[in-house]
Amino acid sequence: MNIREIDASLMRQAFLAGAQGLEEKKEWINELNVFPVPDGDTGTNMTMTIMAAAREVAAIEEPTMENLSKAISSGSLRGARGNSGVILSQLFRGFTKEIKTQKAIDVAILSRAFVRATETAYKAVMKPKEGTILTVAKGMSDKAVEMAAQTEDVVEFARKVIEHGDLVLSQTPEMLPVLKQAGVVDSGGQGLMQVMKGAFEGLLGKKLDWSESSDENHTGEGSGFDVGKNGGIDVSDLDTSDIRYGYCTEFIIYLEKKYDDKTEKEFKTYLESIGDSLVVVSDEDVVKVHVHTNDPGLAIQRALTYGSLSRMKIDNMREEHQERLIQNSEKLLNPFIDGENTEPQEQRKPCGFIAVSIGEGMGEIFKGIGADYLIEGGQTMNPSTEDMLNAIDKVNADRIFILPNNKNIILAAEQAKYLVEDKEIIVVPSKTVPQGITALINFIPEMSVEENLKTMTEEMDRIKTGQVTYAVRDTQIDGMEIHKGDIMGIGDQGMLAVGTSIERTAVDMLKAMVDEEAELISIYYGADVKAEEAERVLARVQEICPDCEVELHDGGQPIYYYLISVE
């Protein structure tokens, strides 16, 4: 088969095939995680990222390069989860910038698109590391430039680029010793190759049926706690008069007409005249709108003058207010289960705080020390950029500090930061929950943003964190032989202890963390640990570290039996 150009219809088919190629192998990619922990989620994160875009692409009935580019870029941007997902979305963003004005794509345009994709992704990462998905992308873009000078056949071009991508991927263990030690290639790079191979199959004619594509993996839309029935309680006297504007209205505009700074200012002025709690986020050809109003139709009518609308969502806040009062009266509402966990704030605050947390106990701790809003997430489910934007919408503050509390969530928070215009967003680079707790405790209202960020970062850098979980496969890391089912104690820099007993491994891990400067030890036990078991660990730690203050907390976190911090 010889193809000289790819039109919009074929591009759509190739992209959807690429998404399916990744989805089919996501569990296998998850298993490539260096540490054999039960939260290896690279495949899941990348799949959810690309599927957010695939749903929008599949809905296009008459594809053009322009509307495909919008769907791919905006869908993946808002659906991005985890570092690998964010990088994948940036690769798509750069690629689509190069093709969106074209009617058809030849090898010359493809090679430029590969280069731009790689450049965009590298710029998105503060400290790019070789031996990762970035290296694989760079290898393919270099090969693309080389092949563009040798052939005009898109099929030959793509085949050679993919072959070279596989070669670079196979070399990643030589670039990152931790990959070589674990006996795996980079999982993000493998995920990218699955997208490429699936797209190649689509290019060669593989057709897919997306007419019944599922949204079961899509999160990030408001999913407030829903009691469903009022339980026989009389709601006729519940007061909702304090709600000035009754409808929370959200939608996305896909721009089809001129929308410059002047137009945006006029649009915002109009929305402010019919409501409040206004958030308008513009990103090239996409505008995300959130407004509280008594007439959603007016907001929608004005928005339609700029383009087509998607993801429209209108909630009756007076009804929600009644439900919330009912829930509170029945003590049914657990504010740490989902995103709807912050009461509306009447006055705008100078500073607000968003923390990524998992487990009821952890949520209570964060709320107790000042977090305004909790995003359900963490190791087993990295929140998306869209989840971050939704959380930012909910916090009524001029400046909002985000505590990702996981190194795999920091990029998604940074990406959300650049999509917000009406609030100052500060991402505190907390990599663990104990770091996030320490950072929030050390916030001082009288200090400037810069001073607070410096202090919070310095204080959390003093924290050592250890995590106790179980192995999901056999491997060898940091000179330790690990078998499936073993209990592992993992520190900030690597494996600290391996054993068959949860209690003994936790204590052995702690011994490796404690030094003569240690003063405070905090133990957070998980959902699978009984209180009496945690008390035994506490007693053992107090015996080993008599000069340290030791605290025990019910964290309620899944997957990890214990999180232990030393400072």
Side-chain angles (χ1 to χ4, degrees):
M1 178 182 289
N2 185 292
I3 299 175
R4 294 299 180 95
E5 287 186 334
I6 301 174
D7 61 14
S9 179
L10 188 53
M11 173 58 72
R12 177 181 183 272
Q13 182 171 303
F15 180 79
L16 293 178
Q20 182 169 332
L22 176 60
E23 199 278 335
E24 289 174 350
K25 296 290 186 179
K26 68 179 179 182
E27 293 303 331
W28 173 56
I29 295 167
N30 283 341
E31 293 173 1
L32 294 177
N33 194 36
V34 170
F35 285 95
V37 295
D39 64 352
D41 52 6
T42 299
T44 300
N45 284 337
M46 295 183 74
T47 297
M48 295 181 78
T49 299
I50 198 171
M51 285 303 179
R55 278 187 291 271
E56 296 193 16
V57 170
I60 297 174
E61 295 180 359
E62 298 182 7
T64 65
M65 289 300 177
E66 184 177 5
N67 62 25
L68 283 176
S69 295
K70 287 181 184 179
I72 293 170
S73 181
S74 65
S76 62
L77 179 71
R78 284 162 174 75
R81 296 175 184 271
N83 291 348
S84 53
V86 171
I87 292 172
L88 182 63
S89 75
Q90 292 302 309
L91 288 169
F92 289 149
R93 190 180 187 191
F95 188 92
T96 55
K97 279 183 179 179
E98 194 65 37
I99 69 168
K100 66 181 180 181
T101 59
Q102 308 295 328
K103 291 191 179 298
I105 304 171
D106 58 17
V107 293
I109 296 170
L110 271 176
S111 67
R112 294 200 301 270
F114 270 80
V115 171
R116 192 163 185 177
T118 302
E119 291 174 349
T120 303
Y122 266 88
K123 287 177 183 177
V125 181
M126 188 172 295
K127 295 181 180 179
K129 184 182 292 187
E130 297 306 328
T132 66
I133 181 176
L134 291 171
T135 307
V136 177
K138 179 67 164 58
M140 286 194 287
S141 67
D142 289 345
K143 188 66 174 181
V145 172
E146 177 187 326
M147 290 305 302
Q150 296 180 15
T151 182
E152 295 182 353
D153 180 11
V154 173
V155 174
E156 181 184 0
F157 170 93
R159 182 179 288 114
K160 294 293 185 182
V161 167
I162 290 172
E163 286 176 358
H164 189 71
D166 273 339
L167 175 62
V168 175
L169 177 65
S170 71
Q171 296 171 342
T172 55
E174 301 302 322
M175 303 177 204
L176 281 178
V178 67
L179 294 176
K180 187 172 185 178
Q181 191 175 38
V184 295
V185 296
D186 178 69
S187 55
Q190 185 68 72
L192 178 60
M193 293 312 303
Q194 293 308 128
V195 174
M196 293 295 297
K197 291 172 182 178
F200 187 63
E201 288 187 4
L203 186 68
L204 296 179
K206 178 180 179 180
K207 298 199 175 187
L208 305 169
D209 180 11
W210 282 79
S211 60
E212 298 181 7
S213 59
S214 171
D215 281 359
E216 64 184 359
N217 287 329
H218 179 58
T219 60
E221 302 292 347
S223 58
F225 188 91
D226 182 13
V227 173
K229 297 181 180 179
N230 64 22
I233 297 175
D234 182 6
V235 301
S236 59
D237 293 329
L238 294 180
D239 183 16
T240 59
S241 61
D242 58 328
I243 300 177
R244 183 180 178 190
Y245 295 105
Y247 297 95
C248 176
T249 306
E250 297 180 16
F251 50 81
I252 290 175
I253 309 172
Y254 291 107
L255 297 173
E256 297 169 355
K257 297 181 180 178
K258 180 180 179 181
Y259 188 86
D260 53 18
D261 291 341
K262 180 182 177 182
T263 308
E264 181 176 45
K265 185 176 180 181
E266 292 173 349
F267 184 38
K268 287 181 177 178
T269 300
Y270 175 76
L271 293 176
E272 287 171 345
S273 73
I274 63 170
D276 64 7
S277 298
L278 176 65
V279 178
V280 177
V281 179
S282 303
D283 175 42
E284 294 187 350
D285 298 326
V286 178
V287 181
K288 185 178 189 298
V289 178
H290 170 280
V291 64
H292 291 177
T293 179
N294 284 328
D295 195 337
L298 293 176
I300 290 171
Q301 287 173 21
R302 177 58 69 96
L304 283 169
T305 64
Y306 305 121
S308 59
L309 304 188
S310 175
R311 296 192 186 179
M312 289 180 284
K313 179 172 173 284
I314 301 173
D315 293 324
N316 186 326
M317 294 189 294
R318 292 187 175 95
E319 287 184 359
E320 289 183 351
H321 181 60
Q322 289 182 344
E323 289 180 4
R324 189 176 296 278
L325 290 175
I326 294 166
Q327 292 159 9
N328 287 342
S329 70
E330 295 180 325
K331 296 184 179 180
L332 286 176
L333 180 61
N334 181 344
F336 311 106
I337 297 298
D338 54 54
E340 302 295 332
N341 56 22
T342 301
E343 293 291 337
Q345 300 160 352
E346 294 184 1
Q347 276 194 321
R348 195 173 179 94
K349 299 166 55 178
C351 291
F353 302 91
I354 295 171
V356 178
S357 181
I358 191 164
E360 182 177 347
M362 289 297 186
E364 289 176 349
I365 291 169
F366 273 114
K367 297 290 283 189
I369 60 177
D372 296 284
Y373 195 95
L374 301 178
I375 300 176
E376 181 79 1
Q379 295 286 21
T380 53
M381 178 57 71
N382 296 154
S384 68
T385 300
E386 182 82 3
D387 293 333
M388 296 285 180
L389 292 173
N390 288 338
I392 291 168
D393 284 351
K394 301 291 184 182
V395 179
N396 191 15
D398 295 317
R399 301 177 184 85
I400 299 174
F401 289 79
I402 299 179
L403 301 161
N405 302 330
N406 187 302
K407 65 181 180 180
N408 206 32
I409 300 175
I410 294 174
L411 267 183
E414 289 285 357
Q415 186 157 279
K417 170 182 176 179
Y418 293 110
L419 294 174
V420 176
E421 296 182 351
D422 68 327
K423 300 175 183 178
E424 181 181 1
I425 307 300
I426 304 96
V427 178
V428 182
S430 53
K431 297 179 180 178
T432 65
V433 167
Q435 281 190 352
I437 291 171
T438 296
L440 189 49
I441 288 173
N442 281 279
F443 175 81
I444 301 175
E446 293 74 24
M447 290 171 55
S448 69
V449 168
E450 294 74 20
E451 290 171 327
N452 265 308
L453 181 59
K454 182 174 183 292
T455 300
M456 294 164 84
T457 303
E458 287 176 349
E459 289 301 316
M460 72 184 191
D461 284 346
R462 295 177 56 243
I463 302 294
K464 296 178 184 177
T465 303
Q467 305 173 96
V468 179
T469 187
Y470 59 92
V472 295
R473 70 169 187 272
D474 296 348
T475 189
Q476 194 171 50
I477 297 177
D478 297 330
M480 299 182 184
E481 187 172 336
I482 301 168
H483 300 284
K484 182 177 180 180
D486 281 352
I487 306 302
M488 304 177 296
I490 306 171
D492 296 320
Q493 304 302 322
M495 198 69 63
L496 297 179
V498 176
T500 56
S501 162
I502 296 173
E503 182 177 324
R504 187 175 302 112
T505 303
V507 172
D508 288 345
M509 178 187 75
L510 180 68
K511 288 179 181 177
M513 295 168 62
V514 173
D515 56 27
E516 58 185 16
E517 297 180 359
E519 298 176 351
L520 173 65
I521 299 171
S522 299
I523 303 171
Y524 306 89
Y525 64 93
D528 296 322
V529 177
K530 296 178 181 178
E532 54 268 28
E533 295 170 339
E535 291 287 350
R536 288 201 300 269
V537 171
L538 171 65
R540 186 75 179 104
V541 171
Q542 289 172 327
E543 179 184 334
I544 295 170
C545 308
D547 297 329
C548 292
E549 180 182 351
V550 186
E551 300 176 344
L552 181 65
H553 306 277
D554 179 1
Q557 71 274 4
I559 304 297
Y560 288 83
Y561 301 115
Y562 290 98
L563 297 180
I564 300 179
S565 67
V566 176
E567 54 185 297

